[in-house]
Amino acid sequence: AREHKRYVRYMAKKEVFDSKITGPIMRALEHIEVDRSAGADSYRNAVAALQSGELIGVYPEATISRSFELKEFKTGAVRMAKEAGVPILPMIIWGSQRVWTKGKPKRMGRTNTPITVAVGEPMHYDEALSPEENTERVKAGTAAAREREQARTVATSTNHGTPWTRDDDKALIRLYGTMTAGAVAIRLNRTAYGVRNRVQILRRRGEL
């Protein structure tokens, strides 16, 4: 991509573009702004970019998974690929959860934390299947790439807890931790919602 000047243009929420810090950078790199209240324009811009030969990066979960397992995928990526007539490359990022763990302070300094990007096999839209079914195919390809990278990390790690989160007890059972994916997500979501509700109550009382 660097040799041919085909850089990845990521689709990112409008709030990132509104920031005085990140906004100018995102526009300079020609990433695509996504206004969640009016997503049709973003969709059209992405399809046009694909048709002109650009590479578009989409995060199909549209959020960060608390359990480090894949959440439900949105169908937008496969619909764009179908309309533009281009293949989909399933990709995963692994290791970033140790730097940017949801619900914990970020560690943006030089931590020597290994972060890898794994790429799956190219996939074309199957006209015999629905957008939802094609999305499940992409999810399966993404999961396979992720599990290969997780297995590699387990095999080369001397501490089986810390590669997944910064808390050993929140690592998944299949990754030498103590919790199931559902239990991790439920427990952390309950904690987050509890804190958020408490803040809202304090604000209504004028105590915050």
Side-chain angles (χ1 to χ4, degrees):
R2 294 183 64 182
E3 292 179 0
H4 298 283
K5 303 297 182 183
R6 294 182 68 209
Y7 300 112
V8 180
R9 313 300 183 189
Y10 286 96
M11 301 186 74
K13 60 184 180 181
K14 181 177 182 295
E15 290 80 358
V16 178
F17 288 82
D18 291 340
S19 167
K20 293 181 180 179
I21 298 174
T22 58
I25 298 173
M26 297 295 284
R27 284 185 285 273
L29 295 175
E30 300 181 24
H31 295 311
I32 298 175
E33 179 178 333
V34 178
D35 185 344
R36 294 178 178 178
S37 64
D41 287 342
S42 304
Y43 180 91
R44 285 192 291 267
N45 291 339
V47 170
L50 287 168
Q51 291 171 332
S52 68
E54 295 279 8
L55 302 173
I56 302 299
V58 178
Y59 290 93
E61 296 170 285
T63 188
I64 299 174
S65 170
R66 290 183 179 274
S67 69
F68 312 117
E69 297 285 15
L70 298 179
K71 297 174 70 68
E72 180 182 353
F73 277 25
K74 309 298 183 184
T75 61
V78 299
R79 290 188 289 108
M80 287 189 293
K82 175 186 178 183
E83 190 168 338
V86 298
I88 298 171
L89 278 175
M91 301 181 68
I92 64 101
I93 303 172
W94 186 248
S96 57
Q97 76 280 358
R98 296 178 62 192
V99 176
W100 196 313
T101 303
K102 191 165 185 176
K104 289 187 172 292
K106 301 174 181 61
R107 301 164 60 202
M108 305 304 289
R110 296 185 177 182
T111 60
N112 294 320
T113 302
I115 298 175
T116 59
V117 177
V119 184
E121 293 295 324
M123 304 176 67
H124 290 270
Y125 190 94
D126 188 339
E127 295 289 349
L129 302 176
S130 67
E132 290 76 16
E133 290 169 325
N134 274 285
T135 297
E136 285 302 312
R137 291 176 58 231
V138 174
K139 184 176 180 180
T142 305
R146 179 207 57 191
E147 288 167 11
R148 285 194 299 270
E149 188 56 35
Q150 288 176 338
R152 187 194 66 80
T153 309
V154 167
T156 58
S157 174
T158 56
N159 183 338
H160 287 149
T162 54
W164 322 116
T165 71
R166 296 202 300 278
D167 296 301
D168 290 357
D169 68 328
K170 293 186 180 66
L172 304 181
I173 286 176
R174 69 180 180 81
L175 303 177
Y176 299 101
T178 61
M179 300 190 72
T180 64
V184 173
I186 290 170
R187 191 176 82 176
L188 296 183
N189 280 330
R190 283 177 177 170
T191 301
Y193 292 145
V195 171
R196 188 181 306 163
N197 290 338
R198 181 61 178 166
V199 168
Q200 291 174 347
I201 291 171
L202 292 175
R203 282 177 176 168
R204 284 197 294 268
R205 292 177 178 173
E207 300 176 19
L208 188 65

